[in-house]
Amino acid sequence: MNPHYEEIVVGSSLRALLFAADRDIPVFFTTPEKPHRFEHFDISVDLSSWGLHNEPQLWVTPDGEKQTGQNKIALWEHVFFVLGLKGLTPFSSVCNSLRLDDNSLTGYSEYAKLRTIDFDMCHYFDEHGTYNLISSEDKPRNHLVYDTFAFIRGGKHHFDLIQGDDQFCNKIWFYPTPRVDGKTAIKDACVLSILSDDQIDDFDFSETMVRLTALQKMKDLGLRGPKNGYQADGSQRYRSFKAQALDRSKFLVSSPVWLEKNTIKVPKISEEDLVKDLGRIADNHKRILNYLWPNT
């Protein structure tokens, strides 16, 4: 006999986990959809109920200092950990694929079937549409695309963030490179662009063009590579920047409009609304939270 749940969540974004924590129901997923490391809360958000301090982070920009709050991934990890302790992540991270039917969900690992569970209602948060719901609209989706690249030359400067008005290379975050042990002045970069499905597959918006555009923005602000002697007229000469693409990740700006079924619903509540209720959601898990973080 299959295990039975009245309600389940399919998905693992921060919105999905907070929704599951609010209702105290299990979550099922294949790939953990963690927020990107450069997604931050506003400094006004109170995270203390989940054992987090939303201390302002300062970023040096060409226009002065900019403040952001705590990284969203920190809250994701806390909520996911609490759900796991309560047994509400049954397949954990061992599930490679899911089959979703009207009243049942089956998980599969790389080698075998894990388990089939039955449910009365499924709250569907899957951002990638990997299951059998159909989108009710046929229009391009927009993505937050993060491209990271390493500086081989020219990674020493004072800026932490460059912002623009264009959707392509909208923000460039600079952070101490993890490629060097210990404290270092060398920085790598992460570039945020807002791209459609078609643009992601277009070379004009590729990792190569992101890298070249980002380096040009740095030059326009007066940043240069290492000094390399002098020109014939006596002016300082600099070596050019040299950078290498490392990784590209993408996140949907908004989910497609899925066609719902009687037992599979797509919640309309936003992440922002759930974050406003963090204190109330935490009350469902007060015993665990007080044990893990006694001062919450």
Side-chain angles (χ1 to χ4, degrees), residues 116-130:
T116 296
I117 62 101
D118 297 328
F119 60 82
D120 296 329
M121 180 63 66
C122 170
H123 303 284
Y124 186 83
F125 286 85
D126 179 51
E127 301 292 342
H128 307 290
T130 55

Side-chain angles (χ1 to χ4, degrees), residues 86-106:
K86 299 185 76 172
L88 296 178
T89 57
F91 293 163
S92 187
S93 58
V94 300
C95 186
N96 282 29
S97 63
L98 292 173
R99 177 179 175 179
L100 180 63
D101 297 310
D102 287 346
N103 286 98
S104 67
L105 180 142
T106 305

Side-chain angles (χ1 to χ4, degrees), residues 55-199:
E55 296 179 357
Q57 301 182 48
L58 296 179
W59 304 85
V60 178
T61 77
D63 300 319
E65 290 187 341
K66 174 183 173 61
Q67 284 189 343
T68 61
Q70 176 66 264
N71 306 64
K72 289 187 177 182
I73 194 172
L75 179 62
W76 188 97
E77 290 173 342
H78 278 219
V79 178
F80 184 73
F81 184 59
V82 169
L83 291 176
L85 287 178
K86 299 185 76 172
L88 296 178
T89 57
F91 293 163
S92 187
S93 58
V94 300
C95 186
N96 282 29
S97 63
L98 292 173
R99 177 179 175 179
L100 180 63
D101 297 310
D102 287 346
N103 286 98
S104 67
L105 180 142
T106 305
Y108 300 87
S109 70
E110 186 177 356
Y111 305 104
K113 174 181 174 181
L114 295 174
R115 195 68 189 264
T116 296
I117 62 101
D118 297 328
F119 60 82
D120 296 329
M121 180 63 66
C122 170
H123 303 284
Y124 186 83
F125 286 85
D126 179 51
E127 301 292 342
H128 307 290
T130 55
Y131 311 119
N132 57 357
L133 286 189
I134 300 173
S135 175
S136 64
E137 56 184 14
D138 185 20
K139 66 179 183 180
R141 300 175 298 175
N142 288 328
H143 303 263
L144 299 178
V145 179
Y146 293 89
D147 289 290
T148 56
F149 58 89
F151 278 98
I152 310 302
R153 187 167 60 231
K156 292 183 178 180
H157 53 83
H158 64 288
F159 287 142
D160 298 319
L161 173 63
I162 298 174
Q163 293 181 278
D165 297 325
D166 298 332
Q167 290 193 321
F168 184 62
C169 291
N170 180 262
K171 292 181 180 179
I172 308 172
W173 303 90
F174 299 99
Y175 57 96
T177 178
R179 297 175 294 114
V180 178
D181 289 337
K183 188 175 182 180
T184 177
I186 301 174
K187 298 179 179 180
D188 288 340
C190 179
V191 184
L192 169 64
S193 302
I194 304 172
L195 305 178
S196 67
D197 285 329
D198 293 337
Q199 288 174 325

Side-chain angles (χ1 to χ4, degrees), residues 214-262:
L215 295 182
Q216 185 58 53
K217 288 191 174 188
M218 293 172 65
K219 293 176 184 177
D220 293 343
L221 290 170
L223 298 180
R224 296 291 183 268
K227 293 180 181 180
N228 187 30
Y230 295 89
Q231 305 282 2
D233 60 2
S235 61
Q236 184 71 60
R237 182 168 59 192
Y238 298 89
R239 301 187 72 183
S240 60
F241 289 115
K242 186 176 181 181
Q244 176 183 348
L246 294 177
D247 180 62
R248 165 169 279 199
S249 56
K250 61 181 182 178
F251 301 81
L252 273 175
V253 175
S254 58
S255 302
V257 180
W258 301 110
L259 293 176
E260 297 181 328
K261 299 182 179 180
N262 291 333

Side-chain angles (χ1 to χ4, degrees), residues 14 34-59 66-79 146 171 173 271 275 278 293:
L14 179 58
K34 298 182 180 181
H36 193 271
R37 61 179 294 183
F38 289 114
E39 288 188 76
H40 301 89
F41 289 109
D42 187 87
I43 56 175
S44 63
V45 176
D46 183 8
L47 303 174
S48 60
S49 58
W50 286 87
L52 294 168
H53 300 287
N54 194 8
E55 296 179 357
Q57 301 182 48
L58 296 179
W59 304 85
K66 174 183 173 61
Q67 284 189 343
T68 61
Q70 176 66 264
N71 306 64
K72 289 187 177 182
I73 194 172
L75 179 62
W76 188 97
E77 290 173 342
H78 278 219
V79 178
Y146 293 89
K171 292 181 180 179
W173 303 90
E271 178 186 298
V275 168
L278 280 179
W293 301 287

